[in-house]
Structures are given as structure tokens and as C-alpha cells.
Amino acid sequence: MSPDPALSVDIAVRRGDRLIETRFAATAGITALFGPSGAGKTSVLDAIAGLVRPARGRIALGGEVLFDAARGIDLAPEKRHCGVVFQDLRLFPHRTVRDNLLYGQRLADPAAQLLSLDEACAFLGIGALLDRRPRTLSGGEAQRVAIGRALLRGPRLLLLDEPLSSLDAARREEIMVVIERIRDQLALPMVLVSHRVDEVERLASEVVSLDVLAEPA
Ligand SMILES: Nc1ncnc2c1ncn2[C@@H]1O[C@H](COP(=O)(O)OP(=O)(O)OP(=O)(O)O)[C@@H](O)[C@H]1O
């Protein structure tokens, strides 16, 4: 019998008058959700994370059903073991970098921890930033802190929403290297939202294309 895919998704998500439908299975490595603005990439990511409830379908992670409309299963976000890096990062502005990171760690099941705080700081090169507040960080630094918070959550899957879109070329390269190291050294499956072909070609082993359909379903 073949092993369960890391992630299997077969859902329809209603957003306003749009119905966003997608079906894919992801194994190890990086799966890119690719498509133009408004295609529904963030909506699909939010549905996997449990932040948006699909109108129908099923989502399973490592053999565990996270959502199944027909069977009435809808696990709360904190039970899904997903680390999320939002497009706007959502770091707590009044907390230090250390406290932002510890927030992720406090949510983690100790048995599922991938990294300690010290290991995450070394892995991401953020040890010198621990006493700073998010508003004092550069875009690339803030992105690394947001990734650190998600990794300290001890996730089985990392969801990254356009992690490179607001960065200049040098910072993009830096974060791409971080993402490659998470893929290769931590062997953590990831779903990455992107609308850029060059990012997807470099990082992803599987590409799920989403398009804006002319007619609402
Ligand atoms: N809360 C909401 N209520 C109604 N419609 C929404 C809501 N959120 C998103 N939408 C609509 O759903 C569609 C998909 O949005 P979504 O943000 O998932 O797309 P996207 O592919 O991530 O776009 P972008 O690349 O611009 O972030 C869009 O038409 C958007 O206007």
C-alpha cells in the first residue's frame, strides 16, 4: 500500500459570489499554489489552516482528516498542526521578537517540536534580534521571525503566503535560501503561495494552478 500523502486537498471554498475549487495531493517538499491575483490562493491556504470553512470537500494531513464536510469533521486551527506565515506576517507589534517566537513555542506539543528557541535562532540567523520589536525590523528580518514563530509551533506542514512578495532582490534570495533549508534540512512539507514563475520553478516540486473563472458557480 502506498503511504498517505503528506497533504490531500479536495475542496470548494465560497468567497462572496465566487466558488474556488481545487484538488491536489502533496508529498514531501514544496507545493506551490500558483495563479493570478484573486484566483483564490490565500483562500485555499486559509482553508487548510482552518481559518476558512470550505463549502464542501475534504482535507487530510499525514492520514489525519482535518476537514470532511460529509462527515461533519472540522478541526480547530490549533489542532491542525499547521504553521502559518501570513502575507502580512501578523507579528505582535508590542511584543519583542523573543516573545513573538515563544508564542509559537507555547502552542506546540512538546513531542512535536522541530527546534528549540536557540536552534531556531541559529537556523534563521535571528539571535541578535531577540530584544527588538517588530516595527524596528527590516522586511527580511521580520519575515524570518514570522517563519521562526511558525516553526516553533512544531508543525507537520508549513503554509507560506507570498513570503517573498514584499522583499527586494537581495532579501528575496535570503528568504528563498531559508525556505530551501527548511525543505532540505528539516524535511518539512510546505505549501507556498506565489504568483511568480521564477519562484515556483526554483522552489516547488509540485505546482497547483488556480485561475479566475469567468462565471461564478
Ligand atoms: N472575506 C471575503 N469575502 C468575500 N470575498 C472574498 C473574501 N476574501 C476573499 N474574497 C474574494 O475571493 C477571491 C479570492 O481571493 P484570495 O485572496 O483567496 O485570492 P489570491 O489568489 O490569494 O489573491 P492575491 O494574489 O491578490 O492575494 C477574490 O475574488 C476575493 O475578492
Side-chain angles (χ1 to χ4, degrees):
M1 215 173 85
S2 58
D4 286 317
L7 174 71
S8 97
V9 175
D10 183 358
I11 52 172
V13 180
R14 184 162 292 287
R15 286 306 226 173
D17 61 0
R18 294 265 327 275
L19 192 68
I20 298 150
E21 296 184 279
T22 188
R23 181 178 182 178
F24 62 93
T27 49
I30 299 176
T31 301
L33 293 180
F34 175 74
S37 181
K41 306 179 295 298
T42 298
S43 301
V44 171
L45 206 74
D46 284 351
I48 297 169
L51 303 170
V52 163
R53 188 189 170 98
R56 63 168 187 265
R58 185 176 183 279
I59 302 169
L61 176 61
E64 183 184 12
V65 178
L66 306 184
F67 177 82
D68 190 328
R71 291 165 62 198
I73 297 170
D74 186 11
L75 293 193
E78 63 275 14
K79 301 232 165 94
R80 294 192 177 207
H81 307 287
C82 293
V84 189
V85 179
F86 296 98
Q87 192 167 4
D88 57 3
L89 303 185
R90 302 192 197 174
L91 294 172
F92 301 117
H94 302 299
R95 296 194 191 182
T96 61
V97 165
R98 179 185 285 101
D99 287 345
N100 271 279
L101 294 169
L102 288 174
Y103 174 83
Q105 196 179 38
R106 267 197 293 276
L107 297 174
D109 168 357
Q113 264 196 9
L114 291 173
L115 299 168
S116 66
L117 180 65
D118 287 348
E119 286 167 343
C121 287
F123 188 80
L124 296 163
I126 54 177
L129 308 175
L130 286 174
D131 294 321
R132 305 255 298 265
R133 307 240 175 218
R135 70 171 180 282
T136 72
L137 303 175
S138 71
E141 289 168 343
Q143 188 65 249
R144 280 184 280 146
V145 172
I147 291 173
R149 186 174 68 177
L151 288 179
L152 283 166
R153 171 90 182 71
R156 293 194 300 219
L157 174 72
L158 189 61
L159 303 170
L160 299 154
D161 195 351
E162 298 266 16
L164 306 163
S165 65
S166 61
L167 305 176
D168 63 30
R171 257 22 77 192
R172 282 181 72 233
E173 176 59 30
E174 225 177 80
I175 298 299
M176 282 209 253
V177 169
V178 166
I179 292 170
E180 287 171 330
R181 291 180 60 221
I182 294 169
R183 179 191 65 194
D184 301 337
Q185 294 176 24
L186 302 182
L188 186 63
M190 284 175 264
V191 177
L192 172 104
V193 166
S194 175
H195 62 271
R196 285 185 57 151
V197 176
D198 59 337
E199 288 172 14
V200 167
E201 280 181 348
R202 170 159 163 188
L203 296 171
S205 45
E206 297 181 54
V207 181
V208 177
S209 290
L210 291 169
D211 273 314
V212 183
L213 301 174
E215 287 298 316

